[in-house]
Amino acid sequence: MKLVDLKMLAKQTSLSVFTCRKYVKIGMPHYRVGRKILVDPQEFEAWFKQFKSGSTQARDNLGSLVDETLKKLA
């Protein structure tokens, strides 16, 4: 397990350090060593994936449903 600080995590993920600190406050898995906050990048990735939005297939199906409904209404 390789731990990185928030500055390195921000660099690796293209997020700001400020955003990483907000994630810590809302429950991102992390370790505290004194005042230092360390994160396992693999744990972060698993945690972050839970916020992924719906698939493109679901959006395509929704678009088809809307188109069909509009045709029926016309």
Side-chain angles (χ1 to χ4, degrees), residues 19-69:
T19 299
C20 292
R21 287 187 187 283
K22 286 194 324 188
Y23 288 168
V24 166
K25 288 181 182 180
I26 65 168
M28 178 179 80
H30 66 282
Y31 303 89
R32 282 198 185 261
V33 179
R35 293 184 63 185
K36 191 90 166 165
I37 298 172
L38 301 172
V39 179
D40 180 345
Q42 291 177 338
E43 287 180 1
F44 170 77
E45 187 175 335
W47 176 81
F48 194 71
K49 282 184 178 181
Q50 73 180 341
F51 300 104
K52 184 176 179 181
S53 64
S55 69
T56 57
Q57 182 180 6
R59 285 190 296 254
D60 291 345
N61 290 345
L62 179 61
S64 299
L65 180 63
V66 169
D67 290 342
E68 289 175 24
T69 305

Side-chain angles (χ1 to χ4, degrees), residues 5-29:
D5 62 6
L6 292 184
K7 187 175 180 180
M8 181 59 71
L9 180 69
K11 190 174 186 178
Q12 291 175 351
T13 59
S14 300
L15 297 170
S16 70
V17 175
F18 180 78
T19 299
C20 292
R21 287 187 187 283
K22 286 194 324 188
Y23 288 168
V24 166
K25 288 181 182 180
I26 65 168
M28 178 179 80

